[in-house]
Amino acid sequence: MPDTKLPVAVIGAGPVGLAAAVHLLVRGLPVRVYEAGPEVGCHVRAWGHLRLFSPWRYDVDPAARALLEAAGWNAPPEDGFPTGHELVDRYLAPLAATPGLAGAVETGARVTALGRLGIDKVTSRDRADAPFVLTIVDAGGSTRRDLARAVVDASGTWGQPNPLGAGGLPADGEADLSDRIATGIPDVLGRDRAGYAGRTTLVVGAGHSAANVLIDLAHLADEAEGTAALWASRGTDLSRVYGGGKADELAGRGDLGARLRGLVEGGRVPLARGFAVTAVRTCCGRLMVDGVTAEGLRTLGPVDRIVAATGQRPDLALTRELRVDLDPWLESVRALGPMIDPNAHSCGSVEPHGHREVSHPEPGLYTVGIKSYGRAPTFLMLTGYEQVRSVAAALAGDLAAADDVHLVLPQTGVCSTSRGDVDADGCCGGPVPAAKEACCPPAPARRPASASCCGVLA
């Protein structure tokens, strides 16, 4: 067992990382939190313009609440729905400034590698007795190495977007045209408005990130002439993103899906379902997106911008020299794979789990938060809060509390057998656009000689 005077290292100062630090402090364990960004909640800031599905009562960890209230915190209304910016400003930043945490959180400190002191991944003898070594690059670019008795990896997945290419690899031309392809959730009504007003944008993806962007683009189209949005989804079952409507226990989530469905069925957002992107190219100064469908090759365009709302994936390089056990296709912690596999589950529920499920063969290493889910897209903060409560109890030697796991998640109202498909009357699942603005010109392999390079039909 490493020196118990060494701190537990927590990687990431988002909601789950800070909650982990609080639970460790409550247990009397020294802790050090490393945040790569310039402030806590940096990843949350990236989508700060969006409002959360869940009200404040689901967004605040109980132990964190107690610490904040002891410091005189003015709690937000429990039934209010914060934006990402509000989550940082009213919860995460005050939490990091409390007397217990203020000296434990280091911003501008990127963890670039993890290992064991003096031994590599292959060595088994006395492995559990060697402290962890963290390679840290600070804001000034200097590198140092810190020691820790255990590591709680709450670094998330936000900085690792999936590519536009449907096969999990970048599409042809994607890297060269990356300056015209946004990832994540751009603020099209605010900070990023100038890049989308008066332009046509293709949104690729079938999750809530795509839904938010499409709805914002529809609002922008009401305000800025010439603004238009197209939607492409690799899958054909849209029940997850359309949601359970009034049956969803998170009303905001249900409303989001209902609004998106209304835009599609009303013809305002043409939809290409079952479209697997293979290439992006320019033609006449605009973008054409080639893909494969059940009917064969197809091209979407011309468009001016693309938003790849295709999800995130974990950074596996960080733990290259540690013994980790991952689900072979989700890249989640292996024990969680069967519980969260989106091929089989779409009800937004997961069995209660704690330190045993988020641990690895590497003693003292835990992957928590959304990173514990790997590529699965259905994580809720409540899940992460219970994970870190259990992990902190285990590290303190209180296995009874660590194993006493309770997790009740709000239901989506969507079951795995639900179908959310929309009738595809036109080329993109909506009314057929005028020929001069056709959104589905032929793919290169079958373009007729009379068609122009931009897919504008003669």
Side-chain angles (χ1 to χ4, degrees):
M1 184 74 178
D3 186 351
T4 57
K5 294 180 182 178
L6 290 174
V8 176
V10 176
I11 306 175
V16 176
L18 289 181
V22 172
H23 282 280
L24 290 164
L25 288 173
V26 169
R27 290 280 180 174
L29 301 177
V31 62
R32 186 74 179 170
V33 182
Y34 299 92
E35 168 55 48
E39 64 172 334
V40 300
C42 199
H43 285 175
V44 177
R45 285 284 191 209
W47 48 265
H49 58 288
L50 297 183
R51 197 165 296 280
L52 275 69
F53 298 137
S54 50
W56 276 109
R57 67 177 180 274
Y58 290 142
D59 301 330
V60 178
D61 175 80
R65 178 185 292 275
L67 187 64
L68 282 162
E69 290 176 344
W73 182 53
N74 184 18
E78 286 199 347
D79 292 331
F81 292 82
T83 63
H85 289 312
E86 290 169 342
L87 188 71
V88 176
D89 293 336
R90 303 190 66 182
Y91 172 46
L92 299 181
L95 180 60
T98 56
L101 277 184
V105 179
E106 181 183 359
T107 57
R110 180 177 298 277
V111 181
T112 60
L114 296 168
R116 290 279 193 181
L117 183 62
I119 56 176
D120 64 10
K121 186 176 186 176
V122 177
T123 303
S124 297
R125 184 175 180 180
D126 299 327
R127 188 170 193 85
D129 296 329
F132 288 92
V133 180
L134 293 81
T135 302
I136 314 294
V137 178
D138 66 22
S142 298
T143 299
R144 72 174 193 269
R145 287 179 171 80
D146 290 356
L147 301 182
R149 62 168 290 199
V151 174
V152 179
D153 184 0
S155 58
T157 59
W158 185 261
Q160 302 289 322
N162 288 325
L164 188 64
L169 301 174
D172 291 346
E174 182 175 348
D176 292 337
L177 296 169
S178 60
D179 60 328
R180 299 172 70 176
I181 302 172
T183 59
I185 314 173
D187 185 4
V188 301
L189 294 176
R191 178 189 64 235
D192 305 315
R193 180 188 179 100
Y196 297 89
R199 293 175 169 85
T200 299
T201 300
L202 171 66
V203 179
V204 181
H208 296 114
S209 296
N212 274 294
V213 177
L214 288 162
I215 289 170
D216 282 353
L217 285 169
H219 283 305
L220 186 59
D222 292 334
E223 301 171 359
E225 184 178 356
T227 304
L230 309 176
W231 180 21
S233 167
R234 181 174 57 187
T236 57
D237 181 357
L238 301 177
S239 58
R240 279 194 187 88
V241 65
Y242 285 159
K246 294 181 179 180
D248 195 322
E249 291 185 23
L250 294 179
R253 184 171 57 191
D255 178 65
L256 182 76
R259 290 161 65 194
L260 178 60
R261 185 165 192 158
L263 290 172
V264 173
E265 293 182 341
R268 295 196 60 192
V269 175
L271 165 64
R273 290 179 300 162
F275 183 88
V277 176
T278 58
V280 185
R281 53 191 169 86
T282 58
C283 201
C284 302
R286 303 183 77 190
L287 300 176
M288 307 295 288
V289 182
D290 302 325
V292 177
T293 71
E295 291 77 32
L297 301 177
R298 175 187 261 178
T299 298
L300 303 182
V303 300
D304 304 294
R305 297 278 297 171
I306 299 171
V307 175
T310 48
Q312 315 288 325
R313 59 179 62 178
D315 176 7
L316 303 182
L318 185 64
T319 53
R320 177 69 181 270
E321 281 303 313
L322 296 178
R323 297 178 174 183
V324 296
D325 191 17
L326 303 176
D327 182 272
W329 49 88
L330 294 183
E331 296 176 348
S332 67
V333 182
R334 183 181 290 273
L336 290 183
M339 304 180 189
I340 61 176
D341 187 350
N343 293 294
H345 301 287
S346 61
C347 292
S349 61
V350 62
E351 296 176 24
H353 64 276
H355 71 107
R356 297 188 188 278
E357 288 79 11
V358 299
S359 63
H360 293 276
E362 191 71 63
L365 175 66
Y366 302 89
T367 304
V368 300
I370 196 168
K371 189 171 184 178
S372 71
Y373 274 43
R375 300 192 186 196
T378 52
F379 177 79
L380 292 175
M381 278 190 289
L382 281 173
T383 307
Y385 292 159
E386 183 62 5
Q387 288 176 346
V388 297
R389 183 208 62 79
S390 173
V391 167
L395 287 172
D398 187 354
L399 292 182
D403 290 331
D404 186 21
V405 180
H406 301 280
L407 183 64
V408 179
L409 298 178
Q411 296 297 307
T412 65
V414 181
C415 294
S416 58
T417 55
S418 297
R419 303 294 296 180
D421 293 354
V422 180
D423 292 337
D425 298 323
C427 71
C428 291
V432 180
K436 66 179 181 179
E437 287 294 328
C439 72
C440 301
R446 58 175 189 173
R447 179 180 291 114
S450 60
S452 78
C453 71
C454 290
V456 179
L457 305 181

